[in-house]
Amino acid sequence: ALLCLTPPLGTMLRSVLAVLGLVACANAYVAPGAFAPLATPRMGAVSRRPAMALRTSSAVSSVATLRAPIAKSDFVGTTFRVSTEAELDQALNTVKMALKDGQKPVIIGLAADSGCGKSTFMRRVTACFGGEVKLNDIGRETNTLISDMTTVICLDDYHSNDRAGRKVSGLTALNPKENNFDLMYEQVKAIKEGKPISKPIYNHVNGTLDENEEIQPTPIVIFEGLHPFYDDRVNDLMDFRIYVDITPEVKFNWKVQRDVEERGWTVDAVKEQIEQRKPDFDAYIDPQKKKADAIIEVLPTELEKDNKKQLKVNYVQVKGVENFEPSTLFDAGADIEWVPNKDKLSFSAPGLKLFQKQDEWYGKPAQVIGMDGNFDKLDELVYVEKAFSETGSKFFGEVTQKMVEYDGQPGSSDGTGLFQTICSLKVREIYEKIAKVTVPAEEAVAA
């Protein structure tokens, strides 16, 4: 790659090299390449002022390599023209996110209805791979989340019509006729092959289909939305499938919280939309859970009647899935109910219970672990973590650490957050098994 820096950005060269040196030494999935100054003519397309260029070669393994000039020119032929600090950040991020030669992304699918917590869940997943998680920096509305190793693509972007068009057709966005599955398949396939795509954007703010955005493949790409498993061509491209199954009562409460508080809807509008969508949800979205490898079921608590503040959450794990070993409470294969010692884990009335049972998921053997009730203090969750095995964590306490990092987010005090966190760590483990790499994890140091 070739980076062209226009002064005053040229004065930032030492900082750039330092950043890239750290990346190169990080023993992560890719080293960005060796950098050396290049003499170049004026870059008229960027600026009339003199510019400095940086050229990247094949992967390096140490900061010492960065200090040496490049002896040969077998670098990748990619040029970044940079005239602002924002453009520099974007160019460096592109270098960091690049795949190794021959590396293919691992594809994860997440299916759920609107307002079921997909965004929070995906932030938990991406956080397990390190780096800042943020919206794709294109300077306008986007649904795509990116970090150093991950990309999360919202399948709403493959709607065939905008909001006004659906009013004309009389169909909901859940109806397959309102989604472009041919384009979805072509682009998921391209990403899985390690190719960039130019994909549409569905603007949730004003309901329009906006100008395309460019997406570069990263080691992990997650496709989340209404229909990741509906089309068999797309489903077959998934390396792992997750379904979030929310009961209607819980779904209503969650959608009110999101659409009223964040999108300016009224409660009546939320209720009307749910009722309008229910037939299509039952026909096209709900059946996809049969194809899932891991399912998070969110239900009202069974500890107290009419209690709307607490939840019961089942984490259904299908057995025999390639690269996936189900998480276990105490003893794999056993049926268990456990009320934790209240002196070691604080919880309020009506109580808290964890459990494990052996079950079937649409004819496939499954192990279910679950929790009913809320805990009061996140840092005490480490007591519960001791009871689990095969969580995908790299050190004891990582599950609790990840939960604490998302304190205050939806589900942070109940089984929703707990099992989203464990499932996220399992996604990291699946990626490591498929890609045959190790993702570094940093243990927090107690203050």
Side-chain angles (χ1 to χ4, degrees), residues 143-447:
N143 303 310
T144 304
L145 283 173
I146 61 170
S147 70
D148 290 355
M149 288 187 67
T150 63
T151 301
V152 181
I153 294 175
C154 176
L155 293 180
D156 289 358
D157 291 336
Y158 294 92
H159 289 341
S160 301
N161 287 312
D162 59 14
R163 195 175 294 158
R166 289 197 300 275
K167 287 182 178 179
V168 173
S169 72
L171 302 175
T172 74
L174 288 75
N175 192 306
K177 293 179 181 178
E178 285 291 340
N179 294 271
N180 189 340
F181 287 104
D182 288 339
L183 180 62
M184 187 189 299
Y185 165 66
E186 290 171 5
Q187 297 203 331
V188 175
K189 183 174 182 288
I191 286 288
K192 192 174 180 70
E193 293 172 349
K195 301 173 183 176
I197 60 172
S198 176
K199 56 170 286 299
I201 297 173
Y202 179 78
N203 189 320
H204 287 99
V205 176
N206 56 31
T208 59
L209 291 171
D210 292 352
E211 181 184 346
N212 283 14
E213 64 179 337
E214 303 298 318
I215 301 295
Q216 296 290 332
T218 49
I220 289 279
V221 182
I222 303 166
F223 290 90
E224 61 89 0
L226 298 170
H227 303 94
F229 318 139
Y230 179 83
D231 186 297
D232 287 339
R233 298 172 300 170
V234 177
N235 180 59
D236 289 344
L237 294 169
M238 301 295 165
D239 292 301
F240 191 68
R241 302 159 187 83
I242 305 166
Y243 187 93
V244 180
D245 193 12
I246 313 293
T247 62
E249 181 182 0
V250 175
K251 185 187 298 184
F252 175 74
N253 293 335
W254 284 11
K255 280 186 68 68
V256 165
Q257 180 179 355
R258 188 197 67 175
D259 290 344
V260 173
E261 296 179 8
E262 298 178 16
R263 298 182 178 178
W265 293 33
T266 65
V267 174
D268 287 342
V270 172
K271 186 181 297 183
E272 181 181 356
Q273 189 203 47
I274 290 176
E275 290 172 353
Q276 288 176 345
R277 292 164 61 97
K278 189 176 186 310
D280 282 353
F281 173 80
D282 292 343
Y284 307 119
I285 311 304
D286 192 60
Q288 292 178 75
K289 64 187 180 186
K290 300 176 184 178
K291 303 177 183 179
D293 305 312
I295 304 91
I296 295 179
E297 295 181 307
V298 185
L299 310 98
T301 181
E302 295 179 357
L303 299 175
E304 184 178 62
K305 188 177 180 181
D306 297 327
N307 183 328
K308 295 184 179 181
K309 294 182 178 181
Q310 296 191 337
L311 299 170
K312 176 185 177 183
V313 181
N314 296 332
Y315 178 36
V316 183
Q317 306 163 95
V318 176
K319 296 181 180 180
V321 174
E322 188 175 8
N323 300 307
F324 177 59
E325 185 68 28
S327 302
T328 293
L329 179 65
F330 289 118
D331 183 17
D335 286 1
I336 295 167
E337 285 194 2
W338 175 46
V339 177
N341 185 333
K342 200 171 182 180
D343 293 333
K344 297 180 179 179
L345 181 71
S346 303
F347 54 87
S348 306
L352 185 145
K353 178 177 71 174
L354 289 102
F355 53 88
Q356 175 177 285
K357 62 181 179 179
Q358 308 310 303
D359 207 340
E360 284 195 351
W361 186 255
Y362 293 94
K364 295 173 286 188
Q367 180 162 279
V368 182
I369 53 177
M371 175 176 155
D372 196 346
N374 293 17
F375 38 83
D376 294 339
K377 298 180 180 179
L378 270 179
D379 57 351
E380 293 179 349
L381 190 63
V382 71
Y383 165 60
V384 170
E385 186 174 347
K386 292 179 182 179
F388 286 104
S389 60
E390 296 292 346
T391 61
S393 61
K394 292 182 176 290
F395 54 86
F396 173 66
E398 188 178 15
V399 173
T400 301
Q401 178 176 304
K402 293 297 184 186
M403 288 287 288
V404 170
E405 289 173 2
Y406 276 76
D407 187 13
Q409 294 297 310
S412 60
S413 64
D414 59 41
T416 309
L418 175 60
F419 296 122
Q420 283 184 358
T421 298
I422 291 176
C423 188
S424 299
L425 293 170
K426 297 300 286 188
V427 168
R428 182 181 67 187
E429 182 179 81
I430 289 165
Y431 165 73
E432 290 181 327
K433 289 180 178 179
I434 295 174
K436 296 179 173 56
V437 298
T438 299
V439 178
E442 184 175 352
E443 186 172 359
V445 178

